């Protein structure tokens, strides 16, 4: 079963303004968010059957996305 793309603004509405501001001002933060977006998009392509993958690869991508999300939240809380 597949899910929708994980959008940071929908996932963290309480940080929406901070996300937009930091992405515009902080290249490091923007790069982390871009990595999150790319990883999430790859997961969605696999879940929808548009890109072949094994279960282990999909699991690894989900874990990677979670770690990136944790990094983003830590940066938002520190801002």
């Amino acid at each position: 079963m597949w899910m929708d793309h994980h959008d940071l603004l929908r996932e963290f509405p309480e940080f929406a303004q901070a996300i937009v501001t930091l992405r515009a001002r902080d290249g490091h933060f923007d790069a982390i968010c871009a990595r999150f977006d790319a990883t999430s998009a790859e997961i969605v392509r696999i879940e929808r059957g548009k890109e072949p993958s094994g279960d282990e690869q999909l699991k690894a991508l989900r874990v990677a996305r979670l770690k990136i999300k944790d990094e983003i939240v830590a940066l938002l809380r520190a801002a």
Side-chain angles (χ1 to χ4, degrees):
M1 181 171 147
W2 56 272
M3 298 183 61
D4 288 332
H5 176 70
H6 287 231
D7 179 87
L8 288 172
L9 297 177
R10 266 194 295 157
E11 295 243 352
F12 303 111
E14 68 277 18
F15 290 119
Q17 186 58 48
I19 291 169
V20 171
T21 301
L22 284 171
R23 286 197 81 164
R25 285 192 310 195
D26 185 334
H28 175 70
F29 183 80
D30 185 52
I32 294 168
C33 289
R35 193 167 29 123
F36 175 87
D37 292 339
T39 303
S40 187
E42 185 176 359
I43 291 169
V44 170
R45 286 191 306 273
I46 291 168
E47 289 174 338
R48 291 182 178 173
K50 295 181 178 185
E51 189 172 307
S53 172
D55 289 340
E56 289 303 314
Q57 181 185 5
L58 184 57
K59 182 180 177 181
L61 285 167
R62 288 178 176 153
V63 169
R65 178 175 62 190
L66 186 57
K67 287 180 181 180
I68 297 166
K69 189 188 300 186
D70 288 344
E71 186 176 356
I72 289 168
V73 170
L75 290 170
L76 287 167
R77 288 186 177 150

